[in-house]
Amino acid sequence: MKGPEVTETQGCWFIVETNPSSEKKAAAELRRAGIRAYLPRQAKEVRHKRTNQPLIKRRPLYTGYLFIRFPDHMIDRRGVPPFDTARKCQGVRQFLRFMNERDEWEPFPVSEWKPTPLAPTGSQRTRARWSRRGRR
């Protein structure tokens, strides 16, 4: 059974749903398969439980999702990316899909999007000094 044809997907990004808590693993496996993967993360300042020192923890911005883009040499002459290659990667659950006019499900291409790193907020730019008695 052949999947639905996707046209004009060259240079498009796709949204992939990952298995629970395996965004980093899925991104690494996709990169190993030759597919560009982007996992936006946010930094959060937390305190260490014993030492009370400030730490920066980086967690996924969109839990359970990441963005992928197929390189031009992987797309066949009909313009269809190898979706099965991405689905077979460990940690990938499925693509974010929509129903087309032929009542078939196909992956949703995000064509006008360019990944840019998020600007840090004020609390992430400057780290506060902490002592045993509290903030200095």
Side-chain angles (χ1 to χ4, degrees):
M1 183 173 164
K2 193 165 73 171
E5 287 189 21
V6 178
T7 58
E8 298 179 10
T9 57
Q10 210 163 10
C12 291
W13 288 84
F14 294 92
I15 302 172
V16 172
E17 184 180 352
T18 63
N19 292 332
S21 301
S22 62
E23 295 91 356
K24 289 167 100 175
K25 183 175 197 155
E29 290 291 322
L30 287 162
R31 288 184 189 115
R32 189 174 294 138
I35 300 168
R36 186 174 175 191
Y38 176 64
L39 177 61
R41 297 188 303 171
Q42 64 180 352
K44 183 179 180 183
E45 190 174 285
V46 295
R47 288 192 214 164
H48 191 274
K49 290 182 181 179
R50 279 185 298 148
T51 62
N52 208 20
Q53 294 292 321
L55 298 172
I56 302 294
K57 295 283 186 173
R58 295 180 57 85
R59 296 193 173 120
L61 184 62
Y62 306 110
T63 306
Y65 295 96
L66 58 94
F67 300 90
I68 67 167
R69 183 177 179 181
F70 295 97
D72 294 339
H73 70 274
M74 291 181 84
I75 298 174
D76 65 4
R77 57 189 128 123
R78 294 177 299 157
V80 180
F83 295 116
D84 290 338
T85 305
R87 281 192 198 106
K88 290 177 186 175
C89 290
Q90 194 171 8
V92 174
R93 180 179 279 175
Q94 66 181 1
F95 281 87
L96 187 66
R97 301 175 294 166
F98 72 100
M99 189 172 284
N100 62 13
E101 60 275 352
R102 298 182 305 252
D103 292 335
E104 296 173 338
W105 289 99
E106 66 180 48
F108 182 71
V110 183
S111 58
E112 297 295 324
W113 179 73
K114 293 180 183 176
T116 56
L118 298 174
T121 61
S123 64
Q124 294 170 355
R125 278 191 224 131
T126 59
R127 292 185 182 180
R129 287 187 171 181
W130 297 88
S131 68
R132 289 184 182 175
R133 288 178 247 135
R135 202 175 214 172
R136 284 188 185 177

